[in-house]
């Protein structure tokens, strides 16, 4: 009987797949890697479905993107250190809180992004779609003032 409860508890844990927000990386370092669950994408990863292309951006576009994020109802910026932004994006329907790190690499004119869900084993493409939304927002902003 005890074995059944252990199995049920383990199954519940695996189905919910809770994670905590990533640690803010030290200046000049890469974004933290995604964990083993398929609920994260990272432009600095080469691991299968977790890999996604970085976002092309001038400094002007980077500043405009940060201003746009701050104006969005479903985004909360929790830290802005100039070239590194830590934020929480809330999904519209279920109100899940997802963690997003954005790092601007001025030498390469790219924004690296790590977007990860706090709950669930998978994310049904939500993190990939979020990064593509950011890419589209950058594309709509002129690269020069």
């Amino acid at each position: 009987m005890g074995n059944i409860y252990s199995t049920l508890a383990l199954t519940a844990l695996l189905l919910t797949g809770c994670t905590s927000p990533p640690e803010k990386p030290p200046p000049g370092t890469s974004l933290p890697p995604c964990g083993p669950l398929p609920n994260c994408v990272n432009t600095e990863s080469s691991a299968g479905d977790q890999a996604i292309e970085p976002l092309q951006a001038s400094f002007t576009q980077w500043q405009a993107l940060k201003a746009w994020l701050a104006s969005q109802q479903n985004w909360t910026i929790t830290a802005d250190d100039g070239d590194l932004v830590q934020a929480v994006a809330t999904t519209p329907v279920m109100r899940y809180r997802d963690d997003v790190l954005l790092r601007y690499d001025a030498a390469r004119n790219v924004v690296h992004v790590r977007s990860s869900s706090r709950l669930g084993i998978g994310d049904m493409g939500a993190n990939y779609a979020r990064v593509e939304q950011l890419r589209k927002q950058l594309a709509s902003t002129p690269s020069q003032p």
Side-chain angles (χ1 to χ4, degrees):
M1 195 68 160
N3 197 17
I4 291 173
Y5 290 119
S6 297
T7 303
L8 289 174
L10 180 60
T11 302
L13 178 64
L14 289 173
L15 289 176
T16 58
C18 297
T19 61
S20 59
E23 293 288 323
K24 187 169 69 169
T29 62
S30 298
L31 298 176
C34 292
L37 300 176
N39 63 355
C40 177
V41 294
N42 189 335
T43 62
E44 294 185 302
S45 173
S46 59
D49 291 340
Q50 294 178 345
I52 191 167
E53 289 295 314
L55 314 176
Q56 296 296 313
S58 67
F59 181 76
T60 301
Q61 289 172 310
W62 168 240
Q63 295 301 316
L65 180 64
K66 292 195 304 180
W68 180 80
L69 289 174
S71 73
Q72 298 303 297
Q73 189 173 5
N74 58 337
W75 284 81
T76 303
I77 295 176
T78 57
D80 181 350
D81 295 341
D83 65 346
L84 181 74
V85 170
Q86 191 167 22
V88 175
T90 305
T91 62
V93 176
M94 298 300 291
R95 310 297 299 159
Y96 294 130
R97 294 167 41 97
D98 297 339
D99 296 297
V100 183
L101 287 170
L102 300 106
R103 184 177 64 81
Y104 181 63
D105 181 345
R108 297 175 60 207
N109 279 342
V110 297
V111 176
H112 287 289
V113 183
R114 179 190 190 276
S115 182
S116 60
S117 301
R118 287 188 186 177
L119 293 174
I121 291 176
D123 65 359
M124 297 179 8
N127 290 298
Y128 181 87
R130 181 175 297 117
V131 174
E132 291 308 311
Q133 177 190 27
L134 295 173
R135 190 183 314 279
K136 185 177 177 181
Q137 180 61 33
L138 281 170
S140 72
T141 305
S143 61
Q144 298 298 320

